[in-house]
Amino acid sequence: MKMTDKIKSWRNGIADDAREFRAEGSVTGFPWWRTALWLVGVYLLVVFLIGWYWTEEPPLFDVSDNAAQRAERQVSGSTATATLITVIETLLEKRGGYLSNDIAPPGIWLDNLPNWEYGVIIQVRDFSKAMREAFSRSRSQSTEDGDLALAEPRLNFDHHSWILPATESEYRAGIRYLESYLARLPDDNTGARFYPRADSLRYWLGTVETRLGSLSQRLSASVGQRRINMDQTAVTSEPGVGQADEVNVKTPWLELDDVFYEARGTTWALVHLLKAIEVEFDEVLRKKNARVGLQQIIRELESSQEAIYSPMVLNGGGFGLVANHSLVMASYVSRANASIIDLRDLLDQG
């Protein structure tokens, strides 16, 4: 057989095999499934890497430098307002943006950062309420500031809304009203004021105390506890009626990281807001000999922001071999809460 005949025979054989392979593939669909599975695998890998990139928490920022950048002239209220604005902007502009209302991967698959966002949102709402009702008013009968009155309801908008309107648009509207208030503060003719009084600070700290107390209890419930039911208020002389009963309190396993990251977001926001309060209420704190107490609270909350080296939130027993991240966080939160109670007592004294 000539060489050319061998080449023709080999080429014809390859062509016949290719036709047979295509015929079988059109029936079984194997080549298409293989391609589809490969594409799905690549998609999941890309989504995983993006989700992993998004899960990094924002770092702390300097409230004094931030206020200097946002306000042309520093007056009473500039640092507090600028800090609140930056906290909200960080919530919206961090890696991945705002995730709590995402409806597509990878945002919809993430739960740690949305819970972190919720902790920040609660502190933003409480602080904006305090600014509207206490910090910006000279007395209880005075008129509230118009910009703050418009900012607060927008910051209290549903944090899960995706569209019509989107949560981000409402929060950004709240930022615009806060920026308007900040711009009006240096001008005495605009009516914008900030009054650093001890009673207004106690008002906000009372809300913070309640939030941290609840968080501390929820974090401590990670290992399960037998507690006295403190919710019973009925008092009667009949035996066995109205007596406190024991209840078993334990955070479900799937919710451990949710509570933990909500606490991380809460303490992250409080670190900045309390540092702003330290600047705004410096004279009041010095007169009440309470400045050191506030600095200790900030120190405790900053410790709660240390890096987490474990790939997941561990839930070991109280004295077990494995760490319990929730109990560690609870210790910082409870100590800060106890110091806030002492601080409020100092502010209440003459």
Side-chain angles (χ1 to χ4, degrees), residues 73-133:
R73 183 161 65 92
Q74 295 298 305
V75 296
S76 181
S78 297
T79 303
T81 308
T83 299
L84 180 60
I85 292 172
T86 303
V87 166
I88 304 171
E89 286 185 344
T90 303
L91 186 71
L92 300 176
E93 298 173 2
K94 58 179 174 51
R95 286 186 179 182
Y98 185 72
L99 302 176
S100 294
N101 62 349
D102 280 10
I103 62 171
I108 197 173
W109 294 342
L110 303 177
D111 64 341
N112 291 344
L113 260 293
N115 282 287
W116 183 93
E117 292 172 349
Y118 182 70
V120 175
I121 290 168
I122 292 299
Q123 294 308 312
V124 165
R125 291 172 177 174
D126 290 344
F127 197 78
S128 64
K129 183 174 184 288
M131 288 190 64
R132 175 183 179 179
E133 296 184 352

Side-chain angles (χ1 to χ4, degrees), residues 20-213:
E20 183 179 355
F21 181 78
R22 286 196 297 268
E24 292 179 355
S26 64
V27 176
T28 63
F30 175 75
W32 305 109
W33 277 111
R34 183 173 60 184
T35 302
L37 289 175
W38 183 83
L39 292 175
V40 169
V42 172
Y43 168 76
L44 292 177
L45 177 61
V46 172
V47 168
F48 170 79
L49 293 176
I50 294 175
W52 175 78
Y53 178 75
W54 285 359
T55 53
E56 182 175 347
E57 300 169 38
L60 300 173
F61 62 86
D62 187 280
V63 298
S64 297
D65 291 345
N66 174 68
Q69 294 174 4
R70 287 190 173 274
E72 296 180 359
R73 183 161 65 92
Q74 295 298 305
V75 296
S76 181
S78 297
T79 303
T81 308
T83 299
L84 180 60
I85 292 172
T86 303
V87 166
I88 304 171
E89 286 185 344
T90 303
L91 186 71
L92 300 176
E93 298 173 2
K94 58 179 174 51
R95 286 186 179 182
Y98 185 72
L99 302 176
S100 294
N101 62 349
D102 280 10
I103 62 171
I108 197 173
W109 294 342
L110 303 177
D111 64 341
N112 291 344
L113 260 293
N115 282 287
W116 183 93
E117 292 172 349
Y118 182 70
V120 175
I121 290 168
I122 292 299
Q123 294 308 312
V124 165
R125 291 172 177 174
D126 290 344
F127 197 78
S128 64
K129 183 174 184 288
M131 288 190 64
R132 175 183 179 179
E133 296 184 352
F135 297 155
S136 63
R137 302 173 68 182
S138 60
R139 57 188 183 277
S140 60
Q141 288 80 22
S142 59
T143 304
E144 63 185 9
D145 186 86
D147 284 326
L148 296 180
L150 292 171
E152 186 196 355
R154 283 158 178 80
L155 297 175
N156 279 271
F157 186 74
D158 179 15
H159 67 288
H160 287 307
S161 179
W162 173 61
I163 197 172
L164 299 177
T167 301
E168 294 92 332
S169 63
E170 290 295 298
Y171 288 176
R172 293 190 188 280
I175 290 175
R176 289 194 294 271
Y177 288 118
L178 290 173
E179 289 175 337
S180 175
Y181 171 75
L182 178 62
R184 290 166 45 228
L185 276 174
D187 190 349
D188 295 334
N189 299 321
T190 60
R193 297 289 186 274
F194 188 94
Y195 300 95
R197 301 191 316 270
D199 62 316
S200 60
L201 180 55
R202 288 189 72 253
Y203 171 82
W204 175 64
L205 288 176
T207 305
V208 175
E209 176 188 328
T210 303
R211 300 291 189 189
L212 292 184

Side-chain angles (χ1 to χ4, degrees), residues 196-202 205 277-278 281-295 339-350:
R197 301 191 316 270
D199 62 316
S200 60
L201 180 55
R202 288 189 72 253
L205 288 176
I277 289 299
E278 183 182 7
F281 290 80
D282 180 69
E283 183 177 354
V284 172
L285 294 170
R286 291 184 184 277
K287 286 182 178 179
K288 299 289 185 177
N289 198 26
R291 194 167 186 268
V292 175
L294 178 61
Q295 290 175 341
S339 298
I340 287 177
I341 295 173
D342 293 338
L343 177 59
R344 292 187 71 229
D345 291 339
L346 282 175
L347 294 172
D348 195 35
Q349 297 174 6

Side-chain angles (χ1 to χ4, degrees), residues 253-299:
W253 183 75
L254 292 177
E255 298 178 11
L256 289 171
D257 58 338
D258 297 345
V259 179
F260 178 83
Y261 277 95
E262 180 184 338
R264 290 271 290 191
T266 296
T267 53
W268 181 89
L270 280 177
V271 166
H272 298 98
L273 297 176
L274 288 170
K275 285 183 176 180
I277 289 299
E278 183 182 7
V279 175
E280 301 291 3
F281 290 80
D282 180 69
E283 183 177 354
V284 172
L285 294 170
R286 291 184 184 277
K287 286 182 178 179
K288 299 289 185 177
N289 198 26
R291 194 167 186 268
V292 175
L294 178 61
Q295 290 175 341
Q296 182 59 36
I297 296 170
I298 295 173
R299 184 69 58 84

